[in-house]
Amino acid sequence: MTSAITFPERPVYDWTARYLVALLLANVALALGPMLVRLADTGPVAAGFWRLTLALPVIVLLALREPARQRRIAGTALLAVLGGGIAFGLDLAAWHIGIERTKLGNASVFGNSGSLILMIWGLFAARRSPRLLEVLAILASLTGAALLMSGSLEISRTHLAGDLFCLLAGVLYAIYILTLGSVRERLGNYSLLLHSMFASIPIVFALAWLRGEAIVPHNWTPLLVLALTSQLVGQGGLIYSLRHFPPLVIGLALLTQPAISALAGWVVFREELSAADLNGMALLAGALVLARAGGK
């Protein structure tokens, strides 16, 4: 699968505000995922199956609106997209199992571990030494994420299995992003997402069935919201952003999810924001500014 991962030697990226807003909005939607998985009355992997399946008809309609040349896919590009879809299906299964077995804070920490892989790969793919501003952006983002996660991360034997599943999910998610990024220029946004979902859905369903999970829900609301936010808005916005930003910036943006979770807790549950939380958010915002300046 990794042999299909290539990036142009001198890529041209677009920092137009609407693309950055789409990337950040996608991460807002994705940050709501763990809470909705917990609220679903199916098994955790089955929740991932419904996240994909309920969004599928809408993705099909959106894909059909794209030009015919952007819907055609064959050869190595098809193999890359299907490989990415398999990685995403395994990522969903691993992360949702992890959410069930560990704290939501831990799930956020380890589930976003792929961000570091994306940032390192982004520097490697650029085929040059990292610029000072890019190094500062990485350091600022990691420090900010550490400050935000310091209050919720809890390492213990009780959570070890769940933490490992979430860590595996982070690695698989990085593979998914990198693989789809290798063919993003040739395909429409929703056509790319649709083809990858064809590979993801059977994987997630088979794993839910093999685990003996409850698959048919009694309450559809959390699953419908999960499909809308995490798949349509979250994955749709993320795939849309792949052609406009380097892997480094995608990785930095994924690390904003803990900040979004902290803000959601403050708005919805009146949870207190500590000085560490506020400093972490400021550092993450600064990291994106530094990355933008470094990219130019």
Side-chain angles (χ1 to χ4, degrees):
M1 183 193 313
T2 55
S3 61
I5 299 174
T6 57
F7 288 91
E9 187 169 353
R10 293 188 178 181
V12 178
Y13 297 110
D14 190 340
W15 281 88
T16 305
R18 68 175 181 273
Y19 301 136
L20 185 58
V21 169
L23 179 59
L24 294 176
L25 181 61
N27 281 280
V28 171
L30 291 169
L32 301 175
M35 178 182 66
L36 294 167
V37 171
R38 284 277 183 91
L39 292 175
D41 59 5
T42 63
V45 181
F49 166 73
W50 288 116
R51 162 183 164 169
L52 298 171
T53 304
L54 291 173
L56 185 62
V58 180
I59 298 294
V60 170
L61 292 175
L62 292 172
L64 289 174
R65 292 170 59 91
E66 294 174 334
R69 59 182 176 79
Q70 293 186 358
R71 299 199 303 266
R72 297 192 195 100
I73 179 170
T76 56
L78 178 60
L79 292 176
V81 173
L82 293 178
I86 292 171
F88 183 63
L90 295 173
D91 156 63
L92 269 187
W95 194 38
H96 286 194
I97 292 171
I99 289 169
E100 184 185 45
R101 299 188 179 191
T102 191
K103 295 178 59 182
L104 290 183
N106 289 30
S108 177
V109 173
F110 296 112
N112 284 292
S113 59
S115 303
L116 183 58
I117 297 173
L118 289 174
M119 288 188 283
I120 294 173
W121 177 262
L123 296 177
F124 173 76
R127 299 180 184 179
R128 56 171 172 76
S129 299
R131 301 186 180 101
L132 176 60
L133 289 178
E134 291 172 332
V135 173
L136 291 176
I138 292 175
L139 293 176
S141 67
L142 294 177
T143 304
L147 287 171
L148 282 162
M149 297 169 182
S150 61
S152 58
L153 181 63
E154 180 182 318
I155 304 299
S156 70
R157 292 183 179 179
T158 305
H159 303 137
L160 179 60
D163 293 341
L164 291 175
F165 272 110
C166 291
L167 185 62
L168 173 62
V171 174
L172 289 166
Y173 196 67
I175 294 173
Y176 164 70
I177 293 296
L178 289 173
T179 306
L180 265 59
S182 68
V183 295
R184 179 63 186 91
E185 291 292 333
R186 287 172 272 173
L187 294 172
N189 177 40
Y190 293 105
S191 297
L192 178 62
L193 188 57
L194 177 64
H195 283 88
S196 71
M197 287 170 65
F198 285 147
S200 302
I201 290 174
I203 294 287
V204 181
F205 177 80
L207 291 173
W209 181 75
L210 289 172
R211 295 183 78 235
E213 293 186 4
I215 294 179
V216 180
H218 298 289
N219 180 10
W220 287 93
T221 302
L223 296 173
L224 287 168
V225 177
L226 181 66
L228 173 63
T229 56
S230 291
Q231 196 61 26
L232 291 174
V233 179
Q235 289 304 315
L238 192 61
I239 298 299
Y240 174 73
S241 304
L242 286 181
R243 72 165 59 180
H244 302 295
F245 298 103
L248 170 64
V249 175
I250 299 294
L252 290 173
L254 289 174
L255 281 178
T256 63
Q257 291 184 35
I260 296 164
S261 297
L263 281 173
W266 177 62
V267 173
V268 178
F269 301 110
R270 302 299 180 188
E271 294 177 354
E272 183 179 353
L273 288 175
S274 66
D277 292 328
L278 296 174
N279 287 330
M281 292 176 191
L283 282 167
L284 286 169
L288 288 171
V289 173
L290 288 169
R292 178 175 184 175
K296 291 186 176 182

